[in-house]
Amino acid sequence: MALTDPSAMARALYDARRDRAPIPPFTDSDPSLTMSDGYAIQQELVRLLLADGDQVIGHKVGATSEAMQRLIGLDSPDYGPVLGSTLHHDGDTLALDRFIAPKIEAEIGFVLGDRLRGPGVTVDDARSAIAGAVAAMEIVDSRIADWRIRLADTVADLASNGAVALSCQVVPLAGIDPRDIAMTLSRDGEVIDSGKGAAALGDPVAVLAWLANTLGEAGVCLEPGHLILTGALHAAVPLAPGDTFRADFGPLGAVTLHVADIDRTAEDRR
């Protein structure tokens, strides 16, 4: 039976996250769902998660490359919250029992030092508000079965955000142009992909300005201390038990994430 209201759709996603059981795409039942519909569902889902005691510590921006926009039918990026319960640090071990079909993406993260409120935020304004940058790896996940997402599905599902791992040091941007930052991604010591900061909308700082202006139209501010993930610099890579990933961002340093050898949920079922 098709879900016909944002609250019911949000509850379905909430249950899928909790039970680690994917659901069919909403757009299968209602292909007319729009990006605005997706954000209405996202807002309801965030309310449910905050009621459980979680908190919003920042935002992620997705589909910041032209290739990804073409893939899911976008002509602009999308966004979702970063939740405190999903934060990991350099060297942490990630258990897969919280995810359904996780993949990893390396991207530049910014930590804000000043408040940003759009509309009207320029790239210069955005850069001035940044306290520093961090090396980041986002774990994207889909509560939609088999990643069969269309625009409204991924927006509703927190822009497919699952978790994030950050380097330990926040690096000031003085003398650093984020567009020129080169990233290499390794798995178990072997380089498997690379990218440059300019892959994110031409300039990761422009991503921040876009987000501030987009949220500002809805009356939402970016606050000091907020983490902003600016978009993948390469194609997403699936995770498997026992993997170790390392993303090196040159002047920003590196971040390493280990994937637990055993899926605890699978072990518990035995």
Side-chain angles (χ1 to χ4, degrees), residues 19 92 99 104 120 165 180 183 186-187 191 200 205 221 225 231 258 270:
D19 300 335
D92 280 358
F99 306 99
I104 201 161
D180 296 332
M183 181 280 303
S186 301
R187 179 175 55 205
V191 174
V205 181
C221 297
H258 308 286
R270 286 200 285 267

Side-chain angles (χ1 to χ4, degrees), residues 73-256:
L74 278 170
D75 58 7
S76 69
D78 65 353
Y79 65 86
V82 176
L83 300 170
S85 65
T86 71
L87 180 63
H88 295 75
H89 300 284
D90 181 37
D92 280 358
T93 296
L94 183 76
L96 295 182
D97 58 1
R98 293 179 58 185
F99 306 99
I100 294 172
K103 303 178 183 183
I104 201 161
E105 299 177 343
E107 51 197 275
I108 295 169
F110 293 136
V111 177
L112 294 187
D114 296 317
R115 196 177 201 228
L116 270 181
R117 179 167 188 165
V121 172
T122 67
V123 172
D124 287 342
D125 294 334
R127 186 180 178 100
S128 295
I130 296 169
V134 291
M137 288 192 286
E138 182 186 6
I139 296 85
V140 293
D141 194 22
S142 184
R143 277 57 64 168
I144 304 299
D146 303 319
W147 278 95
R148 292 190 295 113
I149 53 172
R150 296 177 186 169
L151 176 56
D153 301 307
T154 186
V155 168
D157 191 20
L158 307 188
S160 299
N161 180 250
V164 60
L166 303 179
S167 58
C168 296
Q169 186 176 7
V170 179
V171 179
L173 287 182
I176 298 175
D177 187 338
R179 295 173 295 185
D180 296 332
I181 292 173
M183 181 280 303
T184 57
L185 178 67
S186 301
R187 179 175 55 205
D188 301 330
E190 179 182 353
V191 174
I192 58 172
D193 218 328
S194 62
K196 290 189 71 173
L201 212 62
D203 183 351
V205 181
V207 174
L208 173 58
W210 175 88
L211 179 65
N213 288 325
T214 301
L215 289 177
E217 292 174 357
V220 178
C221 297
L222 299 178
E223 301 292 350
H226 268 175
L227 168 70
I228 309 299
L229 301 177
T230 59
L233 305 183
H234 63 99
V237 178
L239 291 82
D243 285 342
T244 292
F245 290 93
R246 176 182 171 87
D248 191 326
F249 289 78
L252 302 187
V255 56
T256 299

